[in-house]
């Protein structure tokens, strides 16, 4: 049996938005996949310090594509890092001042919030299970750190206005609440290529699962791209296969469909 490397998004793919937990069917499916010799990697927009909801499957994880591909690592080994140029950071924070929106700024070790508002903590704590952003430090705490990701709370309309000014960046959106911005050479698809090269994985033997717009690059890049049933229409159109919803055993259904598990 051919061995595959499975790359899964977290929110809305591996973890339910309703329960904030990994469905038991997914835990069992990934356990069986590991026992059968397949490997399992996380592919998320969350920076490492925001990956707080994977205790159920942590022992099964072989590596991480985090911050939408800006920081890829295995254990304590950095596989790939692509930071945002300071001029683009400054440009976005100037827009934050002008238009009055908050922006999460992700450093290598510290996460700060610029022009913080209660909405930031409300979204990340109540909807994503990430606490403490109401007490996040200012950007002064990021001095000397590479900036991996910027997450402004802007609408799609504001995104169209702002992104052309960030000349070395791209954006990935999986919610209308905010946009994840990384360096132009960082997305989940590029992260997959870097991880596959490091781990000596044939791209044709990679499987990527996701539900949001930021998953499209890796779904297109992988040997097999799978969209969840609860995915956006654009994401579904980019996939080779559309499985069931995350809350309807979608991950397990997909792995059974491709005979990764019985």
């Amino acid at each position: 049996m051919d061995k595959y490397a499975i790359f899964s998004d977290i929110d809305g793919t591996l973890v339910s938005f309703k329960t904030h937990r990994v469905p038991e069917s997914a835990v069992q499916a990934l356990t069986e996949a590991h026992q059968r010799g397949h490997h399992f990697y996380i592919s998320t927009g969350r920076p490492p310090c925001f990956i707080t909801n994977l205790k159920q499957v942590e022992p099964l994880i072989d590596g991480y594509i985090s911050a939408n591909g800006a920081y890829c690592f295995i254990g304590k080994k950095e596989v790939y890092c692509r930071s945002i140029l300071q001029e683009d950071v400054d440009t976005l924070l100037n827009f934050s001042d002008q238009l009055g929106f908050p922006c999460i700024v992700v450093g290598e070790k510290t996460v700060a919030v610029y022009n913080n508002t209660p909405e930031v903590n409300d979204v990340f704590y109540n909807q994503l299970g990430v606490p403490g952003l109401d007490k996040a430090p200012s950007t002064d705490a990021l001095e000397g750190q590479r900036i991996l990701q910027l997450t402004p709370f802007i609408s799609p309309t504001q995104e169209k206005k702002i992104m052309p000014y960030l000349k070395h960046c791209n954006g990935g959106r999986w919610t209308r609440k905010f946009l994840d911005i990384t360096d132009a050479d960082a997305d989940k698809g590029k992260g997959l290529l870097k991880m596959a090269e490091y781990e000596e994985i044939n791209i044709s033997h990679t499987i990527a699962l996701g539900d949001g717009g930021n998953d499209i690059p890796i779904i297109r890049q992988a040997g097999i791209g799978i969209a969840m049933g609860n995915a956006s229409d654009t994401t579904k159109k980019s996939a080779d296969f559309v499985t069931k919803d995350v809350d309807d055993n979608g991950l397990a259904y997909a792995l059974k469909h491709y005979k990764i598990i019985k």
Side-chain angles (χ1 to χ4, degrees):
M1 178 182 65
D2 290 334
K3 300 298 186 287
Y4 280 81
I6 303 160
F7 291 79
S8 176
D9 172 51
I10 296 179
D11 301 291
T13 300
L14 181 59
V15 173
S16 166
F17 281 120
K18 296 178 181 178
T19 67
H20 303 299
R21 289 179 58 80
V22 181
E24 190 56 35
S25 63
V27 176
Q28 293 174 2
L30 291 170
T31 300
E32 181 182 339
H34 232 246
Q35 291 170 345
R36 291 164 67 88
H38 304 290
H39 291 270
F40 174 52
Y41 300 84
I42 293 298
S43 169
T44 181
R46 293 184 182 226
C49 61
F50 283 2
I51 302 175
T52 58
N53 52 357
L54 298 181
K55 284 186 170 45
Q56 295 162 271
V57 295
E58 223 164 52
L60 305 173
I61 301 171
D62 294 295
Y64 295 80
I65 296 171
S66 74
N68 286 306
Y71 188 68
C72 304
F73 61 99
I74 296 171
K76 294 183 179 180
K77 171 67 177 178
E78 178 182 304
V79 173
Y80 181 67
C81 181
R82 190 73 186 185
S83 58
I84 300 174
L85 292 178
Q86 189 59 48
E87 64 186 85
D88 289 324
V89 176
D90 293 340
T91 297
L92 183 63
L93 298 188
N94 284 334
F95 273 111
S96 172
D97 286 331
Q98 294 170 25
L99 302 177
F101 58 79
C103 181
I104 299 172
V105 184
V106 178
E108 297 170 75
K109 301 175 183 178
T110 311
V111 173
V113 182
Y114 191 76
N115 286 335
N116 207 347
T117 68
E119 181 186 21
V120 176
N121 190 64
D122 177 62
V123 169
F124 272 79
Y125 180 58
N126 294 324
Q127 298 182 32
L128 300 175
V130 177
L133 289 185
D134 55 330
K135 299 176 182 177
S138 73
T139 52
D140 292 341
L142 300 171
E143 186 174 354
Q145 296 184 39
R146 293 175 292 184
I147 302 304
L148 305 179
Q149 184 166 276
L150 299 165
T151 301
F153 278 60
I154 57 175
S155 67
T157 300
Q158 290 173 313
E159 174 187 345
K160 290 179 181 178
K161 174 184 177 182
I162 292 170
M163 284 305 297
Y165 291 91
L166 306 180
K167 299 185 184 301
H168 314 97
C169 296
N170 59 34
R173 183 182 289 273
W174 52 276
T175 170
R176 290 187 65 84
K177 290 287 187 180
F178 56 76
L179 174 71
D180 285 333
I181 297 172
T182 59
D183 180 83
D185 281 330
D187 61 39
K188 292 187 181 185
K190 293 182 177 69
L192 173 67
L193 292 175
K194 295 296 182 180
M195 291 290 277
E197 180 183 4
Y198 182 82
E199 293 279 75
E200 298 183 346
I201 300 167
N202 189 318
I203 288 293
S204 67
H205 284 185
T206 59
I207 297 173
L209 300 101
D211 68 297
N214 62 339
D215 294 308
I216 291 173
I218 193 169
I219 285 174
R220 288 176 173 167
Q221 186 66 67
I224 299 172
I226 300 172
M228 304 302 288
N230 48 280
S232 65
D233 289 341
T234 307
T235 305
K236 289 178 179 177
K237 290 176 182 176
S238 302
D240 299 303
F241 178 68
V242 178
T243 186
K244 297 181 180 180
D245 287 15
V246 61
D247 292 298
D248 191 23
N249 307 317
L251 186 144
Y253 184 84
L255 296 190
K256 286 179 182 177
H257 176 82
Y258 282 102
K259 296 180 170 47
I260 300 300
I261 61 173
K262 292 183 178 179

